[in-house]
Amino acid sequence: MNSISYHPVEHKLSAFGRKFISSIAFIGTTSTSPHQLPKNIVHSKPDILHAHLIKTQNLERNTHAANSVLYAYGEYSRMENAAKVLEEMPEPNSISWNLMISNYNKALLYQDSWGIFCKMHRLGFEMNLYTYGSVLSACGALTSTLWGEQVYGLVMKNGFFSDGYVRCGMIELFSKCSRFHDALRVFYDYLCDNVVCWNAIISGAVKNREYWVALDIFSRMWGGFLKVNEYTIPSVLNACVSLLELQFGKMVHGAAIKCGLETDVFVGTSIVDLYAKCGFMDEAFRKLMLMPFSNVVSWTAMLNGFVQNGDPISAFQMFAEMRNKGVEINHYTVTCVLAACANPVMTKEAIQIHSWIYKTGFYQDSVVQTSLINLYSKIGEVVLSELVFAEAENRQHLSLWSNMISVLAQNNDSDKAIHLFQRILQEDLKPDKFCCSSVLGVVDCLDLGRQIHSYTLKSGLISNVNVSSSLFTMYSKCGSIEESYIIFELIEDKDNVSWASMISGFVEHGFSDRAVELFREMPVEEIIPDEMTLTAILNACSSLETLKSGKEIHGFILRHGVGELRIVNGAIVNMYTKCGDLLSARSFFDMIPLKDMFSCSSMISGYAQRGYLENTLQLFKQMLINDLYSSSFTISSVLGVIALSNRSRIGIQVHAHCIKLGSQSEASTGSSLVMIYSKCGNIDDCCKAFKEIVAPDLVSWTAMIVSYAQNGKGGDALQVYELMRDSGIKPDSVTFVGVLSACSHAGLVEEGYFFLNSMMKDYGIEPGARHYACMVDLLSRSGRLTEAERFISDMPIKPDALVWGTLLAACKLHDEVELGKLAAKKIMELEPSEVGAYISLSNIWASVGQWDEVLKVRGSMRGTGIAKEPGWSSL
């Protein structure tokens, strides 16, 4: 074993190691004959014992006496003295070295323990099961599987692999280092009847969340007639609690009764915890009352059961009963009762508990302060959370900082959260994964986000899936989707939240095609999409309007039984409606047993976007009858289709419903109401609807501008435009269509030129065909037809039929024959089947009495197969 070497690494405490240390120390000194010494010497300090043995015995030659001194110094953790005694021993034996390894373990100096073992091996001393058991405990504390595997190689070579305590140390080491499958391999290498080994593998399975494995091993243990003990039952019951396996738990309970272990306080507490966590509070309480000896852990388990089962009042009463019976209360109990009071209906009790905490001195406990911070945030009193944090004297505990940052982040107070994160660094503390994840959730500045990214790289936190997920979400939110994807690809163990977030990021930033590609990679990574991921990819299909891909996703959902989830159902309906397949959307919608707001809204929106007024109103009415909440998005869709159909009476009824809900103050609803009254020519009601909007957005302002323009109030429209600019909202291309239309209706030619230049110069918006058509209309209405024709010729884009049609209509109004002929000719070239151009040209000739030309135009229509539809009336 020349490969065994000594290298310092970070160490952790091993529970098994501590127990094993004591036993080795005791057994290792049995041959030292300390019982032959006077009692006052045996129980004295190691210095006195050392001095006595130097006087009475030849310590340099008496190895047994020297071992007694080693043991004594180890009991007092005087390791320098013990090391010096070992160094001065001319003939130390294996017991001497075992004692030193054991002493270093007791002093938590695990690296020194490993160093002594390496030296013992190098000098060729014989090693036994106590040597291997003790050094494996040290390896477990150091979480060094490399060293542990080297030691186990020696164990196998020297024939000690059958010893239960040695194998137990190796099992514990692998379990602690998240290598449970290796721990299982060690366990099955040599099956024995040592209960310690069985307990170690069951405990390791529970720690590694392999709960079914733990239950399976227990079943084999019980079936093999091995006697379980007070350490076996709590571990197995812990697995049952994690799986909520009450029936198996009852079987374990029966085994505890059969073995006479039910009276053990730890076993009894585990039984109480089982019934409480599984929701059988009456049975849990009965078991608690039947326990001959109960402690704070038992009562806290009961109290915690009430909290988890949503019964805060009973939890509070249980806490009061603990105080009445004089049961010891620790900070875990206090945190449980604080969790029970973290409910708006328990505000009075929360204040009482807070006062009691002040009296009893628990207030300065960092865990209790953290619970108080969470409590006040959940009842909506963030100011009190900040007060508790400000009063904390010991701020060295990161949990205080991370919870306070989390509370601020959840309440969208980004400035305070970021400031608190900066203070952590100023206090020479190192922000942990919780601090970084929380603050990244509210960062909206790319530079700051990159600085935090650098910190996570330096501190190694980038490897944590929560931190890395928060990082790429931050980049996505800040608009840097490429950097977001780079971070996503670097995550080794991507969970479903990571996949869903990245797919959603692609969709939100207009990269739905990449979202679909990413989704197709999930089966390769052996990841089964969950509800969030499927909802995100269905939104991508909706954005792309790819019906085929959407149907494939729908089929996947049906095969895997995810379709029962309401959010996914709504996303499926939305996908079909966005892809234009209203029949499939309605067919699936009708099959949903419990229709929710999202699925109804998606169906209503689908009907509304395609102008199906009756279907929209029928479904909206059904939604109201079923008392489903109608969001502003739903109401806006309904109002939009009403506006298109000019059904103002129904619009007024929906407006009344909006007032009842209070949604008329929202921008989307208010904008739709403005458009309805505008279509009816009721400009006064337009103004009233607009004034009710609390925070008008761009759509609201534009709707008001267009309403004034369409109703011939161009000057008022331009005033609204100036008010919009003063409010800090930048206009878009649609806004300028309304502005130019207002100029046209008011005959403001120079203002029209000004706004056309302003949209390019001030806002970088390139004019489109509709903007140029508005300018042509403006010039034409003002009688400046020649200038309008020149304007069309100078346009940077090719004039379309809309622009020429606008000029043709003006030519008809002003009896401008030649220019009308040019405009009609251009329209016929662009759209040969456009009957309107022929009719307008025919009417122009007729207005000036050129009937021969009228007949020619009519003949051209017949030659091309175009026919004018006869007029009709419903009266």
Side-chain angles (χ1 to χ4, degrees), residues 345-395:
V345 300
M346 299 286 287
T347 304
K348 180 181 177 182
E349 289 79 1
I351 295 171
Q352 292 176 1
I353 293 293
H354 195 166
S355 301
W356 179 84
I357 289 170
Y358 264 121
K359 285 182 180 180
T360 53
F362 278 107
Y363 189 66
Q364 291 309 318
D365 189 293
S366 61
V367 178
V368 173
Q369 287 172 334
T370 300
S371 297
L372 277 169
I373 289 171
N374 290 331
L375 181 152
Y376 284 123
S377 70
K378 288 181 179 178
I379 63 175
E381 297 290 344
V382 180
V383 176
L384 293 178
S385 293
E386 294 181 76
L387 182 62
V388 172
F389 178 79
E391 291 178 347
E393 293 180 0
N394 185 4
R395 295 186 185 172

Side-chain angles (χ1 to χ4, degrees), residues 2 7 30 65 147 176 349 358 369 409 501 519 562 574 582 607 635 669 688 700 767 816 841:
N2 294 327
H7 299 288
T30 54
W147 293 352
K176 187 177 292 185
E349 289 79 1
Y358 264 121
Q369 287 172 334
S501 299
F519 177 77
V562 192
N574 185 56
L582 290 180
Y607 280 134
I635 295 174
T669 305
K688 290 178 183 178
S700 308
E816 182 61 51
L841 183 59

Side-chain angles (χ1 to χ4, degrees), residues 53-54 57 67 120 127 214 225 252 256 279 359 408 425 469 612 689 753 792 869:
L53 291 176
I54 290 174
Q57 301 187 36
N67 286 344
M120 180 183 179
M127 300 180 184
F225 302 104
V252 179
K359 285 182 180 180
L408 293 171
L425 298 172
S469 295
Y612 295 135
Y753 277 117
I792 294 174
E869 291 186 12

Side-chain angles (χ1 to χ4, degrees), residues 44-46 49 67-78:
S44 61
K45 290 185 178 180
L49 175 64
N67 286 344
S68 297
V69 176
L70 283 177
Y71 176 75
Y73 277 125
E75 286 295 297
Y76 283 83
S77 297
R78 300 270 296 276

Side-chain angles (χ1 to χ4, degrees), residues 572-600:
I572 292 172
V573 174
N574 185 56
M575 180 272 297
Y576 279 120
T577 57
K578 290 289 176 63
C579 293
D581 191 352
L582 290 180
L583 289 176
S584 296
R586 187 57 192 257
S587 176
F588 179 77
F589 177 80
D590 290 338
M591 289 190 297
I592 300 175
L594 295 174
K595 298 172 179 62
D596 63 351
M597 180 192 73
F598 184 63
S599 57
C600 288

Side-chain angles (χ1 to χ4, degrees), residues 747-792:
L748 304 173
V749 178
E750 297 306 321
E751 286 81 355
Y753 277 117
F754 171 79
F755 287 119
L756 186 68
N757 292 327
S758 175
M759 69 182 291
M760 292 185 286
K761 182 180 177 181
D762 300 332
Y763 300 103
I765 302 172
E766 290 295 327
R770 294 187 66 189
H771 302 100
Y772 288 120
C774 287
M775 283 301 300
V776 172
D777 185 53
L778 170 59
L779 294 170
S780 300
R781 283 174 182 264
S782 303
R784 298 159 70 167
L785 296 177
T786 304
E787 186 178 347
E789 190 272 333
R790 187 169 61 251
F791 180 85
I792 294 174

